[in-house]
Amino acid sequence: MSCAFAIRAATPADVPIIFQLIQALAAYEKLSHAVTGTEEALRQHLFSDRPYAQVLLAETTTETIGYALFFPTYSTFLTRPGLWLEDLFVLPAYRRQGVGTALLKAVARLARDRDYGRIEWSVLDWNREAIQFYERLGATVLPDWRICRLNGEALTTLGSAQGERG
């Protein structure tokens, strides 16, 4: 089965469906409990005077079927900006129909047109299908790097420390 779809930039009116897709991604990754944000915060962060991220949507004539959410980064080694792809998600019924590839190609075109040096993202180690998909598109899955995260109480505690030497 194949479907006709288009890729477009999200607008403020799309926030409810973007938030639903974020929740669907979290459920797929078995991380629904980690979604603590709100539609209103998402709207503000995507569409304020200084947006934190951008979203591209994949849609048929009747529904939104996938999205890519990304934001700028900077590489000191390349001395060039890049993009961090936070989310790439396609509804299960539309997978293996070129939707994910089209979304990633659209993000790559934006990066190329902006003269960015790279796009980076993370993938869960158990998600073999995603890893194989990314590798087929030419991505390198870096085996030696691990993501570090500081959030919640640890972030508050470290952010409150003043003038301490380590």
Side-chain angles (χ1 to χ4, degrees):
M1 176 175 114
S2 181
C3 71
F5 63 90
I7 306 294
R8 68 170 177 85
T11 68
D14 297 312
V15 169
I17 189 64
I18 296 168
F19 197 69
Q20 289 174 17
L21 290 167
I22 290 168
Q23 291 171 319
L25 170 62
Y28 173 76
E29 292 181 341
K30 302 169 183 64
L31 293 169
S32 292
H33 64 279
V35 179
T36 60
T38 66
E39 280 187 34
E40 189 48 46
L42 184 63
R43 180 181 319 283
Q44 179 182 351
H45 296 152
L46 293 178
F47 297 106
S48 68
D49 292 340
R50 293 181 56 164
Y52 292 117
Q54 292 179 259
V55 175
L56 295 177
L57 297 174
E59 59 188 8
T60 66
T61 56
T62 59
E63 70 179 315
T64 303
I65 60 174
Y67 78 107
L69 185 147
F70 52 93
F71 51 86
T73 61
Y74 189 79
S75 168
T76 55
F77 287 12
L78 299 177
T79 61
R80 290 173 71 188
L83 288 177
W84 180 264
L85 180 63
E86 180 69 15
D87 293 345
L88 178 66
F89 180 73
V90 176
L91 292 173
Y94 295 95
R95 292 183 186 153
R96 293 184 176 81
Q97 296 181 46
V99 180
T101 300
L103 283 164
L104 198 51
K105 283 182 177 181
V107 173
R109 275 192 297 277
L110 285 173
R112 181 202 62 210
D113 292 349
R114 295 172 184 177
D115 196 31
Y116 286 8
R118 64 185 178 198
I119 302 170
E120 294 182 300
W121 63 93
S122 61
V123 60
L124 291 166
D125 61 359
W126 58 260
N127 195 346
R128 294 300 312 154
E129 286 186 39
I131 292 168
Q132 291 168 354
F133 166 71
Y134 296 139
E135 289 175 337
R136 280 194 307 273
L137 293 177
T140 302
V141 178
L142 303 173
D144 301 331
W145 291 84
R146 299 292 181 263
I147 296 171
C148 299
R149 180 173 291 159
L150 193 59
N151 63 355
E153 187 176 326
L155 175 61
T156 301
T157 300
L158 186 61
S160 298
Q162 295 183 6
E164 296 177 19
R165 292 185 167 206

